[in-house]
């Protein structure tokens, strides 16, 4: 993925400039904003979540810019951070099951009397 045209500075040059002058980070931001947003939107399907994750990613990139080493590409480093943000996002959104949904599930191998007692216990629990 090369987003650099012949007359534009390379990512490495922009990183060096941004380390000296934070305002120079804007060029990296403009270069990668759309690809990072599309990455998140394609995986979440939600505009707001994609925007939030994009913002979080660029904040993390800016804060960690001094840790960047030219062992790979800047884009690879950036998208590694984006992938971690996405994983954190989905980890926080673990599915929850309503108590009423659990109460309706039949218990395996229970006699009708035990099922009735379980239903009463779940009803009392739901009231609490």
């Amino acid at each position: 993925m090369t987003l650099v045209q012949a007359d534009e500075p390379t990512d490495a040059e922009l990183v060096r400039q941004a380390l000296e002058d934070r305002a120079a980070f804007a060029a990296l931001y403009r270069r990668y904003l759309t690809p990072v947003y599309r990455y998140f939107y394609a995986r979440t399907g939600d505009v707001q979540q994609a925007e939030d994750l994009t913002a979080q990613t660029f904040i993390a990139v800016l804060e960690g810019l001094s840790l960047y080493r030219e062992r790979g590409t800047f884009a690879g480093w950036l998208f590694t951070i984006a992938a971690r943000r996405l994983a954190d996002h989905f980890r926080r959104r673990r599915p929850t099951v309503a108590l009423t949904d659990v109460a309706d599930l039949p218990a395996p191998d229970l006699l009708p009397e035990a099922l009735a007692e379980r239903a009463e216990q779940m009803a009392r629990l739901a009231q609490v």
Side-chain angles (χ1 to χ4, degrees):
M1 168 198 306
T2 181
L3 302 173
V4 181
Q5 299 196 3
D7 59 338
E8 293 181 0
T10 65
D11 289 346
E13 292 169 340
L14 291 174
V15 168
R16 280 192 287 282
Q17 291 172 10
L19 287 171
E20 295 172 16
D21 177 15
R22 291 287 194 198
F25 183 75
L28 286 167
Y29 176 81
R30 283 190 301 274
R31 183 174 287 174
Y32 287 101
L33 175 62
T34 300
V36 170
Y37 172 80
R38 286 181 180 166
Y39 170 81
F40 288 125
Y41 185 74
R43 284 151 183 82
T44 64
D46 183 90
V47 171
Q48 185 64 45
Q49 288 176 359
E51 289 173 352
D52 289 347
L53 289 166
T54 300
Q56 291 171 21
T57 297
F58 278 103
I59 289 169
V61 167
L62 181 60
E63 289 173 349
L65 199 58
S66 63
L67 302 174
Y68 172 71
R69 302 292 176 256
E70 290 183 48
R71 284 181 247 149
T73 65
F74 177 78
W77 183 71
L78 172 85
F79 278 93
T80 298
I81 293 170
R84 289 179 183 155
R85 293 284 170 207
L86 186 65
D88 290 344
H89 167 75
F90 283 120
R91 198 174 297 118
R92 283 190 303 269
R93 291 186 49 226
R94 293 200 177 169
T96 57
V97 178
L99 184 58
T100 55
D101 294 340
V102 175
D104 294 338
L105 293 176
D109 302 328
L110 287 182
L111 297 173
E113 298 84 20
L115 285 172
E117 183 179 331
R118 181 172 181 258
E120 289 175 11
Q121 289 174 345
M122 294 306 285
R124 285 193 298 263
L125 184 59
Q127 289 176 349
V128 173

